[in-house]
Structures are given as structure tokens and as C-alpha cells.
Amino acid sequence: MEESRTAPRKDSHEIVIHNNPDYPVGVYYVEPAKMYMDHVRWHWHEELEINLVKEGTAQFHIGEDIIQLGEGQSILINRDILHSIHDASSGNCVILSMMFHPHFLFEDENSSTAALYMKPLISDPNFHYMIFDRKDIWGRNMLTYIHNMMETNFTQEFGYELITKSNLSEFWLNLLKKIKVQPLQRDTNAKAFSPDQNRVKEAILYIENHFNESISLDDIANSIHISKSECCRCFKRAVGFTPFEYLMRYRILRAAERILMNDKSASSIANLAASVGFNNTSYFNKLFKEYFHCTPLQYRKMCKTEHRDKLSIYGLSLSHI
């Protein structure tokens, strides 16, 4: 597979770099239980994302919605939607994930064709995701397109780019026809989540740009112009934990990444802790063990001998967890 990869960014807004700019499509093999803290962490990107559950059961967290999908089911997630993926089958979950940029279908996003067939859907505030299963003919047809695209990109036989575009065009057209007949609707509570998501995304970017500094809840709340209490409520609604918990998780993640990459800041545990914003080495060690189930020193030894899956979203990149 001519893989796509994530750029070396230090935040959860992924920028996907495609080796062939004329083919902005990437297909990935995902095992959430092998990721940091046993799940694909909260992130978003400009690409749309199709996930097909190959084995086990997957749990998708998209805003306040929790969607559990079994083997053979699939979900399309719109661009710029904050989401995470968890294993709901005791480590047996395997997902095939395809990301594609809208300009693969509509090269000029300002064209009349894009205005007619693309923007009405990807810009719809009610369109966060759509599920596909075999309960009806439409779902089975959509899954056929998804299977064809996944298989085509793994085998990469001659003309796979054209085959993918053909299948994706048919998939997209059938999606638009379905929505034209049954317009997207979300309940009042789901609609109310949208401001939370935007606020939390901005706060996450602030945290991930300042994680190694001495930042407080006041700083995080001020960065998105709301009160501390409202900031905590937004995080709880959107991702299920507080801004402080997110900060701690992110700091430990970056510490583990520095150990993995043999960064000079990891020469001693005290230096490593300070480099990611901790002024208390004992607290750093405690959290590291809580999240990784081993000490930083044990993790360093493990990194020298074992696979690096724990610091990869798709098994292809160390950039975003």
C-alpha cells in the first residue's frame, strides 16, 4: 500500500500527508487496544473517515454519542469531527480505516459541482457520522463499495486509484440520494453539543501547544473565553474527562514519545519530567505507571526490544495518539 502518513504535528488536529498529492487517500489497519491507553485518542482532521470493523467490537465516541459496532459494520465520520475509538471486545478489535480528502472527488472545492454535491453534506451541522450495516439493501450496497475500496487499496493492482475513485463516487452519490429522501436530523441535545466540540478543540490545541509550561485551569478556560466551571463541563460533555486530566494524559504521552525516540531530554527521569511540564518527579512517575502500567525506566527497556505500536494511531505514524 502506498501509505499516507500524519505530519509531525504536536496536536490532535491531524494533518495527513499523502505520498502522492494526486491521490489523497489512505487505508490503515487499526487495533485500538494496542494504542496509548488502549484506544485511539481524541482527534480530528480535514479528511472524511470510513471505519470498517473487521474483527471484534468497536466503540466510537463522537461528541456525546457512543456508538458500538460489531464485525462487518461500518461508520463514516465527517471532516473536523472530534472523535475517539475504543476496543469493546477485550483486545480483539481490528478496524480497517480509510481517510480521504474531499478534493479527491471534487478537485476544486469552489466549483459548481462541489457546491451541488459536496458542500451541502460536509458543511451540514447535523452530519457528524453515518452507520452502515446489512439490515437493508441500501446498507449492503454501501458496504460493498467500502469493502471494494479497502481491498483495492491493500492489493494496489494496476488502476487501483481509478477503481477507488469510481467506488467512492458511487458511494457518495448513493449517500446523497439517501439523505435527499431522508434528511439528516439530530435531537436537541445533540445539536447543543456543537459549541462544546468547537470549544474543546480550541482548548485541546492550547493545551498541546503549552503542555510543557506551567498552565492552570484558568489559562485553559481563558484561552477559549469561558469560565473555569463551564470549561470543565464542556470537556466532560465532549470527551468524558476534565481539562486537567487531558493535560496529564497528554504530558505522559509526550514523555513516552521522547523515551521512544531516545530524545536527549529523556537522559534522566527528572529532566524528562521537567521537559513535559512536571515539577514533581514522584508525581510524574506515579502517573506514568498508572497510564503505561510500568515505570519510565521499564518503558525505556521495553522500547529497545518490543514493537512501537503503543505510540501509533494507525500503526504507521508516531505523530498522533
Side-chain angles (χ1 to χ4, degrees):
M1 179 180 67
E2 182 180 359
E3 74 182 40
S4 302
R5 58 186 176 83
T6 49
R9 286 278 297 271
K10 298 299 182 185
D11 57 55
S12 290
H13 179 194
E14 295 182 4
I15 299 215
V16 179
I17 304 297
H18 302 277
N19 289 340
N20 180 355
D22 294 328
Y23 188 67
V25 177
V27 176
Y28 308 91
Y29 188 86
V30 184
E31 295 182 81
K34 291 187 176 181
M35 308 302 157
Y36 172 56
M37 297 189 70
D38 304 322
H39 68 280
V40 179
R41 69 187 287 266
W42 290 95
H43 65 288
W44 68 96
H45 36 67
E46 292 184 354
E47 287 75 14
L48 287 92
E49 180 177 321
I50 300 173
N51 292 290
L52 173 66
V53 181
K54 187 173 184 291
E55 299 175 18
T57 305
Q59 193 175 81
F60 294 84
H61 293 237
I62 306 173
E64 292 184 334
D65 297 344
I66 298 176
I67 305 101
Q68 192 154 297
L69 300 182
E71 184 176 328
Q73 292 183 296
S74 181
I75 186 169
L76 169 67
I77 302 174
N78 199 7
R79 68 190 304 183
D80 291 328
I81 294 296
L82 188 64
H83 62 283
S84 67
I85 310 172
H86 300 248
D87 187 325
S89 53
S90 304
N92 298 318
C93 178
V94 177
I95 299 167
L96 299 181
S97 182
M98 172 178 162
M99 291 198 292
F100 64 95
H101 198 283
H103 71 225
F104 179 55
L105 286 177
F106 307 95
E107 187 172 346
D108 182 1
E109 292 190 27
N110 295 315
S111 68
S112 58
T113 307
L116 181 62
Y117 296 113
M118 179 188 71
K119 287 187 178 180
L121 181 54
I122 67 172
S123 300
D124 188 333
N126 293 328
F127 178 44
H128 292 179
Y129 61 87
M130 183 164 287
I131 297 168
F132 310 100
D133 55 37
R134 298 189 175 278
K135 292 179 180 178
D136 54 39
I137 294 175
W138 183 82
R140 292 194 289 273
N141 287 339
M142 298 299 274
L143 283 168
T144 297
Y145 294 126
I146 292 170
H147 278 278
N148 288 345
M149 290 187 287
M150 299 290 186
E151 181 66 21
T152 297
N153 280 271
F154 276 121
T155 59
Q156 288 198 344
E157 295 180 359
F158 178 73
Y160 75 94
E161 302 97 333
L162 295 177
I163 296 171
T164 300
K165 189 163 188 174
S166 175
N167 275 277
L168 188 56
S169 297
E170 291 283 352
F171 173 88
W172 194 259
L173 178 58
N174 278 277
L175 184 63
L176 292 174
K177 286 180 177 179
K178 177 78 169 181
I179 292 170
K180 190 173 182 179
V181 175
Q182 297 178 335
L184 292 166
Q185 293 182 348
R186 297 184 69 84
D187 61 39
T188 304
N189 291 331
K191 287 181 180 178
F193 170 71
S194 184
D196 282 349
Q197 183 169 117
N198 291 332
R199 287 170 173 173
V200 169
K201 284 161 66 176
E202 289 182 29
I204 284 174
L205 292 179
Y206 177 83
I207 289 171
E208 298 184 353
N209 285 324
H210 299 274
F211 73 94
N212 56 351
E213 303 170 13
S214 178
I215 61 175
S216 65
L217 179 55
D218 274 323
D219 296 323
I220 298 170
N222 289 337
S223 73
I224 53 175
H225 313 294
I226 60 176
S227 68
K228 290 190 294 183
S229 57
E230 181 61 19
C231 183
C232 289
R233 284 193 290 268
C234 283
F235 262 80
K236 276 289 188 179
R237 287 191 295 257
V239 299
F241 43 81
T242 68
F244 181 77
E245 288 173 309
Y246 189 93
L247 173 61
M248 294 301 105
R249 291 175 182 219
Y250 190 75
R251 283 176 169 173
I252 295 299
L253 165 65
R254 288 306 170 200
E257 185 180 55
R258 291 179 184 191
I259 293 173
L260 185 76
M261 303 305 294
N262 200 25
D263 189 278
K264 62 181 181 180
S265 65
S267 59
S268 75
I269 300 305
N271 286 342
L272 177 61
S275 74
V276 293
F278 287 93
N279 55 20
N280 185 316
T281 304
S282 296
Y283 185 53
F284 167 74
N285 283 329
K286 177 185 175 182
L287 280 184
F288 195 100
K289 189 169 184 179
E290 179 182 332
Y291 294 156
F292 275 90
H293 311 296
C294 65
T295 67
L297 289 176
Q298 290 169 334
Y299 187 74
R300 178 182 289 164
K301 291 179 181 178
M302 185 174 65
C303 287
K304 293 178 180 179
T305 58
E306 297 188 8
H307 295 294
R308 298 184 174 190
D309 293 350
K310 282 289 183 179
L311 286 179
S312 175
I313 281 192
Y314 299 110
L316 299 175
S317 165
L318 300 177
S319 300
H320 302 90
I321 313 301

